[in-house]
Amino acid sequence: MVGVLIRMRWAITRRTMREGRAALNFWLGSCIGLIAAGVTALLIATAHDTVHGGVTVAAALYGAWTLGWLCGPVLTGSSDETLQPEQFRLLPLTTRQLAYGLGAAAFVGTAPIVNLIAFGGLVLLAAQIGWGAVLIAIPGAILQLVFVILLSRVVVAWLGAAMRSRRGKDLGVLFAALLGLAYYPLNLLVGALGPKLESEHGGLSVALRVLPSGWAPYAVEAAARGDYLFAVLPLLGLALLALVLWQAWAVLLERRLTSPAAAAGQVVDTGGGILDRFVPPTPVGAMLTKELRTWWRDGRRRAALLPLLIVGFVLPVFLSVRAHGSGTIPFSGAFVVWLATMSSANLYGFDGTAVWQTLVTPGAERADVRGRAYAWLIIVAPVSVLATLILPGALGKAELYPWAVSTLPVLLGVGVGGVVFLSTHAAFALPPQRGNPFTGSGNPGCSKLLMQLAVGLVQLLAAAPVLAMLGVGAGLRLPLLQWAALPVGLVIGGFAAVLGIRSATNRLGTHGPELLAAVKPR
């Protein structure tokens, strides 16, 4: 069975390597990964003058790659499940047999190869010490690869299992956001302490070796001293930890395959909800209500948007700490809008084939697009506006109010227009949701991914006239000129929003069948 699953995974990978935009996306990602792995291996092999320094650098870089396996699925809103467990539910296999087979198939593809190259830098380091160290480094690099892959699978599976209930979804999204945020302070720590790692002999070097990501490098260091008992023990610890993770994954797989998602309960129309009171009973109002409720109830939408909203709010804090100031914190609202735009640019992909209801309803395109746009604004705008109004004054940066307040309307206008524009012009299919909102975000293709990045760039370019007025006003010390940038920002943002909504409406009306085909799960 293991061989069958490995061949299935390899067949899917070969197909991805040959199919148009998916192939371009595959090869581009592979090339970037190989470059990063090569640089990592080179740093481990050369960025040191002593064995102790080399092992410290190796432990730090191993920790960085391990963190990438943990935070990557959360920051991107997806994890690789080319072979989904539900596809094998009816086969006469135990969950442990299925975990064994899927675990083996997880090592097929470019990601494990890229990571093995990166971890192989430890072998290059050991080659400078002696054959004994090399014999320790080879199994150490392999065990580290097994550890990070299983650790990533367990964390994502645990998040998916937690988010099968309503309360679990809330806790899971919060944990996912905190896990994603962990990348930034640790990256800040590495950036600040990286140049000092080679000569570090204090608590930091000890901490890097105590973490499981530092056990393999420590084993090489022990082999260099001739303490082969202490060289073998960390490897045995990694093997035992990998076995525990595999057992935990098997338990989570069993829960995923046997535990149904929490029932949503009977929907009762009481007529007294907040949305019923304040949203007008019009086609646009109906679509707005539907979208707001979908954003609140759909785990996959929340997993894609909410962690990045929190990341966008806190990211300027870490950037300011790195710069030893607080200059970027007042612009937290702008960061929130910028990240939310790029993470929400596939609204019709979330709905899938349900878009046919809009296509068969005469004249529904206008209400559909506007309802989605207004719902996105209601979700994103309050957080960004509150951050923009509160943070500059709270930090004693009142002189930045014109900058923060004037640029926010531009980003919001271009953002809402770009979200509906991309959702109709560059939609892509998502895999069927099977209880875990982190199990796949589809394959947008390189061209569509570049279009999403282009919208983020357009947001910045559209703010150029506003920034020019603010800069001139600051240079001439004319507060009135700076505040005059606010109406300019409102006009630019409003024009961009209207343009994007109209273009999306026309696209939905003229290319509806093509959109339905694009979002249909393969």
Side-chain angles (χ1 to χ4, degrees), residues 199-289:
S199 58
E200 172 63 36
H201 288 79
L204 177 61
S205 64
V206 174
L208 290 173
R209 287 163 170 78
V210 168
L211 294 173
S213 56
W215 292 356
Y218 175 75
V220 172
E221 184 179 28
R225 298 195 306 263
D227 297 332
Y228 287 99
L229 175 61
F230 287 97
V232 173
L233 285 178
L235 300 186
L236 293 177
L238 270 179
L240 179 62
L241 191 55
L243 180 62
V244 171
L245 290 173
W246 175 75
Q247 293 286 346
W249 188 30
V251 172
L252 291 170
L253 277 179
E254 183 175 8
R255 291 182 181 178
R256 175 173 172 179
L257 294 174
T258 59
S259 302
Q266 184 178 1
V267 178
V268 180
D269 185 10
T270 60
I274 296 178
L275 294 178
D276 297 324
R277 294 178 182 177
F278 294 100
V279 178
T282 62
V284 175
M287 190 62 203
L288 171 62
T289 302

Side-chain angles (χ1 to χ4, degrees), residues 177-381:
L178 295 176
L179 184 61
L181 284 174
Y183 175 81
Y184 296 102
L186 292 178
N187 183 50
L188 173 64
L189 180 65
V190 171
L193 301 178
K196 306 175 184 178
L197 286 178
E198 199 277 329
S199 58
E200 172 63 36
H201 288 79
L204 177 61
S205 64
V206 174
L208 290 173
R209 287 163 170 78
V210 168
L211 294 173
S213 56
W215 292 356
Y218 175 75
V220 172
E221 184 179 28
R225 298 195 306 263
D227 297 332
Y228 287 99
L229 175 61
F230 287 97
V232 173
L233 285 178
L235 300 186
L236 293 177
L238 270 179
L240 179 62
L241 191 55
L243 180 62
V244 171
L245 290 173
W246 175 75
Q247 293 286 346
W249 188 30
V251 172
L252 291 170
L253 277 179
E254 183 175 8
R255 291 182 181 178
R256 175 173 172 179
L257 294 174
T258 59
S259 302
Q266 184 178 1
V267 178
V268 180
D269 185 10
T270 60
I274 296 178
L275 294 178
D276 297 324
R277 294 178 182 177
F278 294 100
V279 178
T282 62
V284 175
M287 190 62 203
L288 171 62
T289 302
K290 174 258 181 187
E291 274 294 292
L292 289 175
R293 287 174 175 167
T294 303
W295 277 109
W296 177 251
R297 296 170 180 174
D298 185 7
R300 181 151 57 180
R301 288 200 186 202
R302 295 199 296 174
L305 180 62
L306 291 185
L308 287 181
L309 285 180
I310 301 176
V311 169
F313 188 80
V314 181
L315 177 60
V317 177
F318 297 131
L319 294 177
S320 296
V321 172
R322 170 172 287 183
H324 304 288
S326 58
T328 60
I329 296 179
F331 298 96
S332 293
F335 276 90
V336 167
V337 176
W338 192 59
L339 289 177
T341 300
M342 289 187 287
S343 66
S344 311
N346 191 31
L347 298 180
Y348 289 99
F350 285 120
D351 284 0
T353 53
V355 71
W356 73 269
Q357 300 177 60
T358 301
L359 301 181
V360 298
T361 304
E365 297 85 2
R366 180 180 180 276
D368 189 88
V369 173
R370 280 163 174 73
R372 293 175 188 272
Y374 298 159
W376 186 87
L377 277 177
I378 290 174
I379 293 171
V380 176

Side-chain angles (χ1 to χ4, degrees), residues 31 41 55 71 75 93 112 119 138 162 216 230 241 278 280 285 296 324 428 457 464 473 491:
C31 291
V55 169
C71 299
L75 293 175
L93 297 172
F119 295 155
I138 291 175
F230 287 97
L241 191 55
F278 294 100
W296 177 251
H324 304 288
F428 56 91
L457 181 61
V491 171

Side-chain angles (χ1 to χ4, degrees), residues 459-477:
Q459 285 180 294
L460 302 179
L461 293 177
V466 175
L467 294 174
M469 292 184 63
L470 291 168
V472 173
L476 299 177
R477 297 184 179 180

